[in-house]
Amino acid sequence: MLTGKRILLIISGGIAAYKSLELIRGLKKSGASVRCIVTQGGQQFVTPLSVAALAEEQVFTDLFSLKDESEMGHIRLSREADLVVVAPASANIMAQMAHGLTEDLASTTLLATNRPVMICPAMNPMMWQHDATQDNLKTLQSRGINIIAPADGDMACGEVGTGRMREPEEILTAITAYFQDNRPLAGLSALVTSGPTYEPIDPVRFIGNRSSGKQGHAIAAALKSAGAAVTLVTGPVNLPAPQGVKTISVQTAQEMLKACENALPCDIAICAAAVSDWRVKKAADQKIKKGADKSAPTLEFIENPDILQTIATHKNRPALVVGFAAETENLIENAQAKLTKKSCDWIIANNVGDHDIFGQDQNHVSLITTEKVTDWPPANKEAIARDIVEEIIHHFVNLKMIEAAE
Ligand code: CTP
């Protein structure tokens, strides 16, 4: 099932390290090759010799080992894998990853890698629940790290709670699923904008809108499940970062534009954010007070950059650029005009005139391309996201950038 897959397994310190030996056996049996790094802490629980015997490969332990570095530099080690798995992932290695520390071979490799990473946390329940660990977990999730959440149960330390590393078979199933998922967009990268932008008036007030980010986040998640490497740039929303999606949070349109430009080049861009068209020309440094005469302040606005248009006319323009159009009248005509004006390839148009779609789970859209207009039946935002991704897959098959499914 994993024939030809190269796994780099990092074993950090924790009693659950003994389970990693079983994991190595399972991975090897499934056809994967397994290269291992064992940290100093990990070596307190399993010996490099037993790891090497099971992996049938040299085991790496030291960053400054002349022997290790001459045989395989740590940068090469970090790049020559289809998946990097950290099992067990101690609270310490999670903290090192979250903060970009490079204290040993394992943490340096994790900072240097450009490969997907999966972590299998294992620790005492209090350590797992601690705000520090939970904050680190959120950071890692938002960077697109795959998390195999720990299980509940009796701990080796005698306490009961959440913190047990998943059993080797469960981890093997997750790794197999990771590779077996229907991943037609594997190898392509996508940028998605989502949510509103907040434009400051003064330190406590802003201009925003009621976009929930549900549609944009659902599209990012659907692209991710189809195998794309996804960067989600989101304004302030009340939604978790989708699993495995690199998520960048911004406030203003200008910040959103900068984050998007940093994410180029990529193959697909979908602008689902409700970007504020204007911002206050000069936000006040101090809270604006009521004047003695009770007169209302006058705000001077200037136009925000158009992110969709900037991406669609960029020198690193993605092969497919998709915008949204929320219209209250003349849906198709207005959306077609937007398609031309913003130089994008498709517009997903929704009529917001007769019902309020902001914050709702349902949506009703039409797909507008230069060739055709297709009205889709109303559906929830996840289903619409999957339909959009289906269209994208067809498009890239036609462009011969990916292969059709058998
Ligand atoms: N958009 C953008 N940057 C802006 C404004 C809009 O990227 N500054 C994108 C939105 O993400 C969406 C598309 O442009 O994909 C259309 O947004 P919409 O608000 O419908 O159109 P506007 O350009 O703002 O035009 P109008 O409000 O006049 O209809």
Side-chain angles (χ1 to χ4, degrees):
M1 282 175 302
L2 294 174
T3 308
K5 298 292 178 220
R6 297 164 308 171
I7 309 293
L8 175 64
L9 176 65
I10 297 179
I11 304 177
S12 73
I15 183 68
Y18 78 92
K19 294 187 190 174
S20 302
L21 298 180
E22 199 54 44
L23 178 61
I24 298 172
R25 278 167 59 106
L27 286 166
K28 295 281 296 177
K29 240 170 129 178
S30 304
S33 65
V34 189
R35 218 172 240 167
C36 297
I37 296 177
V38 188
T39 67
Q40 287 291 328
Q43 289 171 54
Q44 306 302 312
F45 299 93
V46 291
T47 68
L49 191 61
S50 45
V51 173
L54 289 167
E56 298 172 292
E57 289 234 19
Q58 180 193 351
V59 171
F60 299 86
T61 51
D62 293 319
L63 182 57
F64 299 114
S65 149
L66 251 185
K67 182 174 167 289
D68 285 3
E69 281 288 313
S70 61
E71 285 175 19
M72 165 83 58
H74 67 274
I75 300 290
R76 217 179 107 201
L77 192 57
S78 75
R79 307 282 161 84
E80 285 189 357
D82 296 304
L83 180 68
V84 181
V85 179
V86 188
S90 62
N92 184 45
I93 206 161
M94 285 177 64
Q96 288 176 331
M97 289 172 77
H99 297 282
L101 303 182
T102 55
E103 288 168 344
D104 58 6
L105 178 62
S107 50
T108 306
T109 303
L110 284 161
L111 193 66
T113 192
N114 58 355
R115 314 306 304 154
V117 177
M118 178 182 279
I119 65 168
C120 309
M123 67 198 75
N124 164 279
M126 295 299 276
M127 291 168 72
W128 174 250
Q129 279 162 24
H130 198 287
D131 287 348
T133 305
Q134 290 300 313
D135 284 351
N136 291 336
L137 178 71
K138 280 191 204 109
T139 304
L140 297 178
Q141 260 166 340
S142 74
R143 289 189 198 144
I145 305 285
N146 298 279
I147 317 279
I148 308 298
D152 295 343
D154 294 336
M155 308 293 293
C157 57
E159 291 183 18
V160 180
T162 306
R164 280 173 66 93
M165 185 170 91
R166 293 282 167 182
E167 295 305 317
E169 311 84 74
E170 292 176 286
I171 300 174
L172 193 58
T173 306
I175 294 173
T176 311
Y178 174 85
F179 286 114
Q180 270 186 342
D181 275 357
N182 184 16
R183 301 165 61 78
L185 296 180
L188 296 185
S189 52
L191 163 68
V192 180
T193 70
S194 185
T197 62
Y198 283 3
E199 310 296 333
I201 296 171
D202 67 18
V204 296
R205 303 183 180 94
F206 62 86
I207 293 165
N209 61 67
R210 291 190 291 124
S211 166
S212 65
K214 282 182 183 165
Q215 189 64 78
H217 276 55
I219 292 169
L223 284 165
K224 167 71 198 165
S225 344
V230 186
T231 301
L232 173 66
V233 180
T234 175
V237 292
N238 240 332
L239 297 172
Q243 264 273 19
V245 169
K246 179 175 178 188
T247 306
I248 300 165
S249 298
V250 297
Q251 295 275 323
T252 66
Q254 285 172 300
E255 289 167 5
M256 187 172 272
L257 175 65
K258 196 162 168 240
C260 288
E261 286 185 309
N262 286 341
L264 297 178
C266 64
D267 301 297
I268 304 159
I270 304 192
C271 293
V275 184
S276 173
D277 289 325
W278 303 280
R279 67 177 181 274
V280 176
K281 189 168 180 190
K282 172 122 192 40
D285 294 331
Q286 305 298 331
K287 187 179 168 196
I288 301 171
K289 293 291 204 188
K290 283 196 281 290
D293 60 354
K294 302 267 189 209
S295 65
T298 305
L299 298 176
E300 192 186 342
F301 289 98
I302 54 169
E303 203 173 331
N304 263 329
D306 193 302
I307 297 166
L308 172 61
Q309 194 168 10
T310 308
I311 294 172
T313 53
H314 200 277
K315 64 177 191 312
N316 287 328
R317 185 192 197 276
L320 179 68
V321 180
V322 183
F324 272 73
E327 305 291 342
T328 53
E329 55 180 358
N330 304 329
L331 178 72
I332 305 301
E333 296 73 22
N334 284 344
Q336 279 169 329
K338 246 172 222 177
L339 181 91
T340 312
K341 183 172 156 226
K342 303 203 182 196
S343 310
C344 52
D345 302 297
W346 303 350
I347 286 275
I348 315 279
N350 44 12
N351 192 339
V352 291
D354 45 16
H355 63 296
D356 181 9
I357 51 113
F358 285 110
Q360 301 301 312
D361 293 328
Q362 288 288 111
N363 206 353
H364 182 184
V365 303
S366 299
L367 171 68
I368 295 167
T369 71
T370 40
E371 287 99 43
K372 59 176 186 181
V373 175
T374 324
D375 184 30
W376 289 353
N380 69 34
K381 290 181 177 173
E382 279 76 25
I384 288 184
R386 284 195 296 273
D387 289 345
I388 294 171
V389 171
E390 273 305 307
E391 285 290 331
I392 293 174
I393 293 167
H394 289 312
H395 182 74
F396 278 91
V397 169
N398 287 339
L399 287 180
K400 301 211 174 351
M401 283 178 71
I402 58 171
E403 282 176 16
E406 312 209 325

